[in-house]
Amino acid sequence: MTIQIRHLDSAQPDFKQRLETLLAFEASTDEAIEKSVAAILHDVKHRGDAAVLEYTNKFDRIPGGAASMAAFDVPQAELQAALRALPAAQRVALETAAERIRIFHERQKEELRGFTYTEPDGTVLGQKITPLDRVGIYVPGGKAAYPSSVLMNAVPAKVAGVAEIIMVVPTPDGVKNQMVLAAAAIAGVTRVITIGGAQAVGALAYGTATIAPVDKIVGPGNAYVAAAKRRVFGTVGIDMIAGPSEILVLCDGTTDPDWVAMDLFSQAEHDELAQAIMLCPDADYIAKVEASIHKLLPTMPRAGTIRTSMTDRGALVKVRDMQEACDIANAIAAEHLEISAEDPQQWADRIRHAGAMFLGRFSSESLGDYCCGPNHVLPTSRTARFSSPLGVYDFQKRSSVIFVSEAGAQTLGKVAAELAYGEGLQAHARSAELRLRPAA
Amino acid sequence: MTIQIRHLDSAQPDFKQRLETLLAFEASTDEAIEKSVAAILHDVKHRGDAAVLEYTNKFDRIPGGAASMAAFDVPQAELQAALRALPAAQRVALETAAERIRIFHERQKEELRGFTYTEPDGTVLGQKITPLDRVGIYVPGGKAAYPSSVLMNAVPAKVAGVAEIIMVVPTPDGVKNQMVLAAAAIAGVTRVITIGGAQAVGALAYGTATIAPVDKIVGPGNAYVAAAKRRVFGTVGIDMIAGPSEILVLCDGTTDPDWVAMDLFSQAEHDELAQAIMLCPDADYIAKVEASIHKLLPTMPRAGTIRTSMTDRGALVKVRDMQEACDIANAIAAEHLEISAEDPQQWADRIRHAGAMFLGRFSSESLGDYCCGPNHVLPTSRTARFSSPLGVYDFQKRSSVIFVSEAGAQTLGKVAAELAYGEGLQAHARSAELRLRPAA
């Protein structure tokens, strides 16, 4: 099996254009999917459980066909049984990961406590932080069923103090993924329902007789799920619609080339659209990484996916120096950024945009994907320019708190009235003026 | 001029259904607007400045027609001149408001500093906070041109540390709103461009030869602007798409009824779709507020809008007690919640969902709209269940930082490999295992 890797050099006169072309990814909208999803959501909104039951029996090929929604509820005892039945090593690994994720996310919660301050005239201003009441977590079924995603989505909600965490996970052909159920048990999910697709998103957003409507839906899914989430946005909150996963490795040429090659593979094996790029100032080292790629590819069970992804969307990029590598990294705003270098902090300090930064040669992305603690749900497709990893803050919101004292109303009222008249909003002005004491 | 106000009573058997009907608001999608916006965005993306120039000359009826984009740039000197030309009272009011907004938002910035912690094996985990590089602020032109919105959108971006704040504001018939320009000067906007509509949103999102692409677009606009923002979401960040504005007043019957009536008006005067609701346990007091409404309405310059809004979407609701009022308020999750009562804090403590809370009878919403300090851009249409006021945090994002020590890689690597094999992601597992020291 051969692999053709794209080489770029920042010294090329058309480098910027080449890089743009490499990064370009336009999520295409499939009209057939859009129409189908719109119809399913409308049906679920109006027929509720009956619609969800029909779609689930049909799309997930439930053996025999479930007679009622009750058949899709997974009792807590079944979750606990799945956890007990796991091989010991797997259970310990899941529990260790969950605990580390919890600890990191507790730090996020500590940071956001709200505040209050009192002005000399007794006016009090502040910001109150509250958790969402009820959230839905979508977990894909079938081959892309990832217990680690259950932890990464549910643990932050739990830490935020969300009272009810409703997880939906389709079970094609009625087959349940035991590791996913075990992860739900560890994460403290309130309720697991084995439904999926646009019908599950609709049920969570609008509610049915058996499913209470949630305030926000998070978690990855296929094109139908993504389209459904976009459509219910506004009725409920949603997380970002994720694009293909990406890794950008900045390397100064001091890391074992096999390690870097395998890090690139670990992204490429996800998906044929995944993107793995290395930036390095050392041409000899780039050649070594390429040799490692050729050597290691045949040993990979998912070699086909890796080869397609690396060929279509991967690149090895020669840069002038690490400083330039950082500038390019800021333009790319990668989901995962490895800085595999001596003294990585000096380069990290120059990075303004990245979903997660992995510093030093021991910090492979795969460690972060599972168990370092920070979330693995990260902004893709350059959205790290303006968005953040999934976190506790996604399950909290703020309310402003304003208590104006009688004295405060005297000064603030005049300012507000002046501006309100300037904007032609007289009731605003009068509302402020009514609170003014009559002049003595 | 008469006004018919809806009365509800929480003791009615169908109260819950009546309340749902009252609150129901479905933002309809206008297919003609969608198609028009899609075409404009496509055109701006591909023809850049030429398209923006044409649309602006046409839609904004620029007298004589501008010859180039340069004509739409408002020099900083013109902003400063607008500020100097303001009546002194207006200038002081704007500057006072801006300073108070800045102080409140500095508190938001202080709260979010990022964190870092080191584990016993030397592994370091953390979260880095960075501002967005460049943001676009949309300011409506014409009759709904609000200088206060310039402050509320630009000041948080400035406090966050955004390097470039690009404001777009259409000038129908070439008329510039001097108070809006003055507000831009006070807020420290980097650049003001007198373009608007979907073409301005497209220019900010995709960039043109004369306008650098931004990372996020915030600010209110008409249906075309809202449709355009939805469409460019993903390419750039956007704030929430706002629905009609709402106020919910919880009153224990101790506030001057004229004050409450005027507070309801101050919401109703915005828009015929605005919603003003009062909850109160005291039937006599409700009658007094209704009398105030009838008495005060004829004195209002915007009486027509107020009457339509109050008739179509307003309500006076009799509740059992203040405790029940708080429960209903949590279900409504209002944009603006006034708790006009003795000892308002006891009720505020029971509120989980509201955009902003105004406590005590002197805290009219209008004071908060202009100059208390907290933001007046708030979640509407029950989205306060899951979203927050506009704030400094909307102009910042987080990056996870992961430095795994060699020792840390030994323990974390085994956990990650176990889970990666469980998920069938062998390159992930191998990437972790390569960092393990060979067993002695």
Side-chain angles (χ1 to χ4, degrees):
Chain A
M1 186 181 287
T2 62
I3 184 167
Q4 279 287 52
I5 310 225
R6 187 181 288 97
H7 283 261
L8 297 181
D9 188 322
S10 66
Q12 290 163 324
D14 59 351
F15 171 70
K16 211 181 149 190
Q17 182 53 49
R18 283 172 187 249
L19 185 65
E20 282 289 326
T21 305
L22 178 67
L23 299 175
F25 179 81
E26 193 112 17
S28 59
T29 309
D30 184 317
E31 278 309 316
I33 290 178
E34 287 296 327
K35 276 180 87 164
S36 164
V37 164
I40 292 169
L41 289 178
H42 182 270
D43 204 16
V44 169
K45 190 174 184 177
H46 292 90
R47 292 202 304 130
D49 283 337
V52 177
L53 185 65
E54 283 169 29
Y55 288 119
T56 303
N57 278 332
K58 179 176 153 196
F59 294 145
D60 292 339
R61 304 172 303 275
I62 303 302
S68 79
M69 289 293 288
F72 301 136
D73 250 300
V74 184
Q76 285 290 336
E78 189 174 339
L79 304 182
Q80 293 300 331
L83 179 57
R84 281 194 306 270
L86 281 192
Q90 226 170 44
R91 174 172 180 158
V92 168
L94 265 184
E95 289 178 337
T96 303
E99 178 63 6
R100 293 185 60 87
I101 295 165
R102 191 188 63 71
I103 290 168
F104 183 84
H105 288 79
E106 288 283 0
R107 296 298 291 250
Q108 291 183 335
K109 187 180 186 184
E110 274 167 39
E111 192 179 29
L112 208 61
R113 295 168 168 278
F115 58 82
T116 226
Y117 61 94
T118 304
E119 303 193 315
D121 64 17
T123 293
V124 182
L125 300 169
Q127 190 166 274
K128 179 176 176 174
I129 314 283
T130 42
L132 278 61
D133 282 349
R134 190 185 296 124
V135 304
I137 293 180
Y138 192 97
V139 176
K143 66 180 170 127
Y146 294 143
S148 59
S149 288
V150 175
L151 300 182
M152 292 292 183
N153 282 279
V155 171
K158 196 80 184 173
V159 169
V162 173
E164 286 184 62
I165 302 172
I166 315 296
M167 178 177 129
V168 294
V169 54
T171 52
D173 302 308
V175 178
K176 293 174 190 167
N177 180 317
Q178 296 301 310
M179 207 171 166
V180 162
L181 297 187
I186 291 171
V189 166
T190 315
R191 184 177 175 196
V192 174
I193 313 174
T194 57
I195 59 176
Q199 58 276 18
V201 173
L204 291 171
Y206 306 129
T208 71
T210 65
I211 301 173
V214 302
D215 300 306
K216 187 166 187 168
I217 302 174
V218 300
N222 63 18
Y224 289 85
V225 173
K229 279 170 67 182
R230 269 190 193 275
R231 278 178 183 268
V232 299
F233 175 53
T235 301
V236 296
I238 61 168
D239 55 353
M240 292 290 291
I241 305 282
S245 197
E246 326 133 22
I247 191 171
L248 179 68
V249 181
L250 264 59
C251 191
D252 65 359
T254 61
T255 305
D256 184 325
D258 282 358
W259 296 16
V260 171
M262 194 59 77
D263 294 352
L264 297 172
F265 285 0
S266 74
Q267 196 55 243
E269 76 173 338
H270 268 297
D271 182 348
E272 294 180 348
L273 291 171
Q275 185 156 56
I277 298 175
M278 180 181 78
L279 308 183
C280 177
D282 180 342
D284 291 342
Y285 182 78
I286 291 175
K288 284 182 194 159
V289 170
E290 188 166 18
S292 291
I293 288 173
H294 291 298
K295 176 186 76 183
L296 294 170
L297 181 67
T299 72
M300 302 312 304
R302 297 167 76 101
T305 304
I306 294 171
R307 189 179 50 170
T308 305
S309 155
M310 295 290 291
T311 306
D312 292 353
R313 305 205 68 221
L316 302 175
V317 184
K318 163 82 170 65
V319 292
R320 199 173 56 233
D321 50 30
M322 285 294 282
Q323 167 62 56
E324 187 186 52
C326 292
D327 294 342
I328 295 171
N330 280 323
I332 293 179
E335 182 191 11
H336 304 99
L337 176 68
E338 277 188 22
I339 304 182
S340 205
E342 297 286 344
D343 186 12
Q345 191 62 51
Q346 63 177 314
W347 311 121
D349 290 342
R350 297 168 187 260
I351 299 298
R352 295 194 313 281
H353 311 302
M357 293 188 244
F358 300 81
L359 311 186
R361 67 178 64 104
F362 287 98
S363 307
S364 70
E365 187 210 308
S366 61
L367 300 180
D369 284 344
Y370 288 107
C371 58
C372 287
N375 213 288
H376 77 194
V377 180
L378 297 168
T380 59
S381 303
R382 304 191 63 226
T383 59
R385 290 175 297 126
F386 55 83
S387 51
S388 302
L390 188 71
V392 170
Y393 36 84
D394 287 298
F395 300 101
Q396 298 174 311
K397 70 280 191 310
R398 301 159 170 99
S399 302
S400 302
V401 181
I402 296 171
F403 168 84
V404 179
S405 67
E406 183 172 358
Q410 309 312 305
T411 51
L412 294 176
K414 286 166 199 151
V415 174
E418 177 72 33
L419 295 173
Y421 283 123
E423 294 186 351
L425 295 173
Q426 297 88 355
H428 282 69
R430 295 278 302 279
S431 166
E433 287 173 341
L434 285 174
R435 270 88 175 173
L436 297 179
R437 276 186 297 261
Chain B
M1 184 179 285
T2 61
I3 183 167
Q4 278 288 51
I5 309 222
R6 186 181 288 97
H7 283 261
L8 297 181
D9 188 322
S10 67
Q12 289 163 325
D14 59 349
F15 171 70
K16 210 180 150 191
Q17 182 52 47
R18 283 172 186 248
L19 185 66
E20 282 289 326
T21 306
L22 178 68
L23 298 174
F25 179 81
E26 193 112 17
S28 59
T29 310
D30 183 318
E31 277 310 315
I33 291 178
E34 288 296 326
K35 276 182 88 165
S36 164
V37 165
I40 293 169
L41 289 178
H42 182 269
D43 202 17
V44 169
K45 190 172 183 177
H46 292 92
R47 293 201 303 128
D49 283 337
V52 176
L53 184 65
E54 285 169 28
Y55 287 119
T56 303
N57 279 332
K58 179 175 152 197
F59 294 145
D60 293 338
R61 304 172 303 277
I62 303 302
S68 79
M69 288 292 288
F72 301 136
D73 251 298
V74 183
Q76 286 289 335
E78 189 175 339
L79 304 182
Q80 294 299 330
L83 179 58
R84 280 193 306 272
L86 280 193
Q90 224 170 48
R91 175 171 180 159
V92 169
L94 265 184
E95 289 178 338
T96 302
E99 178 62 8
R100 293 187 59 88
I101 296 165
R102 191 188 62 71
I103 289 168
F104 183 84
H105 288 78
E106 288 284 359
R107 296 297 291 251
Q108 291 182 336
K109 187 180 187 183
E110 275 167 39
E111 193 179 29
L112 209 60
R113 294 169 168 280
F115 58 82
T116 224
Y117 60 94
T118 305
E119 303 193 313
D121 64 16
T123 293
V124 181
L125 301 169
Q127 190 166 275
K128 179 177 176 174
I129 314 283
T130 42
L132 277 61
D133 281 349
R134 189 186 296 125
V135 303
I137 293 180
Y138 191 96
V139 176
K143 65 179 170 128
Y146 294 142
S148 59
S149 287
V150 175
L151 300 182
M152 292 292 182
N153 281 278
V155 171
K158 196 80 184 174
V159 170
V162 172
E164 285 184 63
I165 302 172
I166 315 296
M167 178 176 129
V168 295
V169 54
T171 52
D173 302 308
V175 179
K176 293 174 190 167
N177 180 318
Q178 296 301 310
M179 207 170 165
V180 162
L181 298 187
I186 291 171
V189 166
T190 314
R191 184 179 176 195
V192 174
I193 313 174
T194 58
I195 59 175
Q199 58 275 18
V201 174
L204 290 172
Y206 307 130
T208 71
T210 65
I211 301 173
V214 302
D215 300 306
K216 186 167 187 167
I217 302 174
V218 299
N222 63 18
Y224 289 85
V225 173
K229 279 169 68 183
R230 270 189 193 276
R231 278 179 183 268
V232 299
F233 176 53
T235 301
V236 297
I238 61 168
D239 56 354
M240 292 291 290
I241 305 283
S245 196
E246 326 133 22
I247 190 171
L248 180 68
V249 181
L250 264 57
C251 191
D252 64 359
T254 61
T255 305
D256 184 326
D258 282 0
W259 295 15
V260 171
M262 194 60 77
D263 293 353
L264 297 173
F265 286 0
S266 73
Q267 195 56 242
E269 76 172 338
H270 267 297
D271 181 347
E272 295 181 346
L273 291 171
Q275 185 155 55
I277 297 175
M278 179 180 78
L279 307 183
C280 178
D282 180 343
D284 291 342
Y285 182 78
I286 292 175
K288 284 182 194 159
V289 170
E290 187 165 18
S292 291
I293 287 172
H294 292 298
K295 176 185 74 182
L296 294 170
L297 182 67
T299 72
M300 301 312 304
R302 298 168 74 102
T305 304
I306 293 172
R307 190 179 49 169
T308 305
S309 154
M310 294 289 291
T311 305
D312 292 353
R313 304 204 70 222
L316 303 175
V317 184
K318 163 81 171 65
V319 293
R320 198 172 56 231
D321 49 30
M322 286 295 282
Q323 165 62 55
E324 187 187 52
C326 291
D327 294 342
I328 295 171
N330 279 322
I332 292 178
E335 183 191 12
H336 305 98
L337 177 67
E338 276 187 23
I339 303 182
S340 204
E342 298 285 345
D343 186 12
Q345 190 62 50
Q346 63 178 315
W347 310 121
D349 289 342
R350 297 169 187 261
I351 300 298
R352 296 194 312 281
H353 311 304
M357 291 188 244
F358 300 80
L359 310 186
R361 67 178 64 103
F362 287 98
S363 306
S364 70
E365 188 210 308
S366 61
L367 299 180
D369 283 346
Y370 289 106
C371 58
C372 287
N375 213 289
H376 77 194
V377 181
L378 297 168
T380 60
S381 305
R382 304 190 62 223
T383 58
R385 291 176 296 127
F386 55 83
S387 51
S388 303
L390 188 72
V392 170
Y393 36 82
D394 287 298
F395 301 101
Q396 297 175 310
K397 69 283 192 307
R398 301 160 170 98
S399 303
S400 303
V401 181
I402 297 170
F403 168 84
V404 179
S405 67
E406 182 172 0
Q410 309 311 306
T411 50
L412 295 177
K414 285 167 199 150
V415 173
E418 177 72 33
L419 295 173
Y421 283 124
E423 294 186 352
L425 295 173
Q426 297 88 357
H428 282 69
R430 293 279 303 279
S431 166
E433 287 173 341
L434 284 174
R435 269 90 175 173
L436 297 178
R437 277 187 296 261

